[in-house]
Amino acid sequence: AGATVVNIPDTTGYCLPHEYGNKIKYLMEHVDGVHKAILSTHCHNDLGMATACTLEGVLNGARQVEVTINGIGERAGNTAEEEIAMILKCHHLDIETNINTQKIAATSRMVSSLMNMPVQPNKAIVGRNAFAHSSGIHQDGVLKNVETYEIINPKDVGIDDNSIVLTARSGRAALKNRLEVLGVKLDQEKLDKVYEDFLKLADKKKDINDDDILVLAGADRSHNHRIKLEYLQVTSGVGVRSVASLGLNISGEKFEACASGNGPVDAAIKALKKIVDRHMTLKEFTIQAISKGSDDVGKVHMQVEYDNHIYYGFGANTDIIAASVEAYIDCINKFKM
């Protein structure tokens, strides 16, 4: 009838891979004029089979796949673009995607940051542990022959395995180099600001890793916010009620408030709400440690509902309570008032 693309969705993610492949095969063999159109897959991951079903679709004749970065999507998500791209590349199936796979890691980080959706550490291809080897036998095997436990060269997905150890003694050149390896290019003025923050962080924690640097590179986005956190002081402990006092700078005007709560984060947010008097509800609160260690930078992702809209916020700090307040403020700065 003139259609150029025919989409075959597995909307609920229920199909077994061979069943989905057989559907595509049946259509390829029985639909008149099917070769005038492209069969397209659209698989959901409700049972963890989206990538497998999509691959079976391709192997049986589908030539378009609907995918998402990091596998985001409704419910359990959709087929992850990076997984299909690397399966086809690693298995040499003579199917060209025209994807520049070296951009995968940077694109994953960008989407994660813009959508305030952390990537789980053990996520295939783009998780921070995807190329990490912790068990002794794995480490020994990789040292003897990297292909023992690495079927993908990290550089193929944009991860540079040549690490420069950054410390408080590192200069701007080393920081700039590492940022560029991670796909971030800064002008001199912004680099100087990030470098100042880098030195402050290096004084607080011994090991500076790539995630720390990426957080610092994006941290100055709050500088132009209408509402800024001036100070935060919290008293908490076992057997005592937590109390928080904080100061805000709202368009150049200073405000202060104090509140008690069920824990330090609750107290800090209640103090914040005393100043920003809006009917808003915290819908989701996620704390993510960037690496291991008590001196680590914690990342906080929040979803706050205001006026029937959901707003996403992000904060990062070695003080997790401060990171939580910064994330809440990030949400408020996005409100349509």
Side-chain angles (χ1 to χ4, degrees):
T4 56
V5 176
V6 180
N7 196 305
I8 313 298
D10 180 17
T11 307
T12 59
Y14 183 75
C15 269
L16 293 171
H18 76 277
E19 291 175 339
Y20 189 81
N22 286 339
K23 291 179 188 294
I24 301 297
K25 182 179 180 181
Y26 180 87
L27 295 173
M28 292 295 294
E29 293 176 349
H30 292 85
V31 175
D32 291 338
V34 70
H35 296 289
K36 297 178 183 178
I38 294 173
L39 292 189
S40 173
T41 71
H42 179 100
C43 299
H44 280 262
N45 205 37
D46 297 66
L47 293 174
M49 296 187 291
T51 296
C53 285
T54 298
L55 179 63
E56 284 293 318
V58 171
L59 295 177
N60 283 281
R63 283 300 174 266
Q64 174 174 299
V65 292
E66 296 194 355
V67 293
T68 62
I69 301 296
N70 298 338
I72 60 175
E74 282 193 300
R75 303 182 310 280
N78 290 74
T79 308
E81 181 266 355
E82 60 275 7
E83 293 174 12
I84 285 295
M86 295 311 297
I87 288 171
L88 297 177
K89 185 182 180 79
C90 290
H91 282 271
H92 308 291
L93 298 175
D94 293 326
I95 298 173
E96 178 56 53
T97 64
N98 201 32
I99 290 172
N100 181 353
T101 62
Q102 293 183 345
K103 301 291 185 182
I104 284 176
T107 305
S108 168
R109 287 193 297 268
M110 179 181 71
V111 171
S112 174
S113 175
L114 291 175
M115 298 192 71
N116 289 309
M117 295 179 68
V119 177
Q120 65 190 66
N122 60 324
K123 167 72 179 67
I125 315 298
V126 293
R128 71 168 182 260
N129 293 343
F131 298 98
H133 307 280
S134 56
S135 73
I137 193 168
H138 278 217
Q139 291 172 343
D140 183 62
V142 167
L143 289 171
K144 289 175 178 174
N145 182 351
V146 70
E147 293 181 358
T148 307
Y149 289 107
E150 280 190 6
I151 58 171
I152 300 171
N153 184 334
K155 292 183 179 180
D156 285 346
V157 295
I159 298 173
D160 192 297
D161 56 359
N162 177 24
S163 61
I164 296 174
V165 178
L166 293 173
T167 68
R169 295 179 298 280
S170 299
R172 284 176 176 76
L175 178 62
K176 181 181 180 182
N177 173 265
R178 196 64 200 156
L179 283 167
E180 290 179 351
V181 165
L182 295 170
V184 178
K185 292 187 178 180
L186 304 178
D187 58 37
Q188 191 60 45
E189 182 180 353
K190 188 171 182 181
L191 178 65
D192 290 343
K193 177 65 182 69
V194 172
Y195 184 66
E196 289 178 19
D197 294 337
F198 163 76
L199 291 178
K200 293 175 184 176
L201 179 61
D203 285 337
K204 294 180 181 179
K205 59 177 297 189
K206 182 174 64 175
D207 298 319
I208 305 293
N209 58 42
D210 289 349
D211 284 317
D212 290 332
I213 296 167
L214 289 169
V215 167
L216 290 174
D220 73 333
R221 64 201 178 98
S222 64
H223 289 182
N224 296 323
H225 280 175
R226 188 169 59 90
I227 303 173
K228 301 175 186 177
L229 180 64
E230 288 275 297
Y231 74 84
L232 171 66
Q233 183 174 353
V234 179
T235 302
S236 64
V238 179
V240 297
R241 189 156 178 81
S242 297
V243 178
S245 60
L246 57 76
L248 297 182
N249 182 322
I250 303 179
S251 300
E253 192 173 352
K254 304 294 179 69
F255 297 86
E256 295 180 333
C258 181
S260 62
N262 183 23
V265 173
D266 183 49
I269 289 176
K270 283 182 177 176
L272 172 65
K273 285 183 173 181
K274 282 188 175 182
I275 300 173
V276 183
D277 187 15
R278 296 286 188 276
H279 183 67
M280 45 193 175
T281 306
L282 179 60
K283 305 295 288 186
E284 187 171 309
F285 176 37
T286 304
I287 298 175
Q288 180 186 18
I290 288 177
S291 63
K292 299 173 182 177
S294 58
D295 62 350
D296 189 29
V297 170
K299 296 200 301 186
V300 173
H301 296 261
M302 281 190 179
Q303 292 182 26
V304 172
E305 184 177 20
Y306 171 71
D307 196 24
N308 295 320
H309 288 86
I310 297 292
Y311 296 89
Y312 296 86
F314 166 80
N317 202 298
T318 50
D319 185 326
I320 201 64
I321 303 166
S324 302
V325 174
E326 288 168 359
Y328 209 105
I329 292 172
D330 193 27
C331 291
I332 296 172
N333 274 300
K334 296 171 183 175
F335 287 0
K336 297 174 183 177
M337 295 184 182

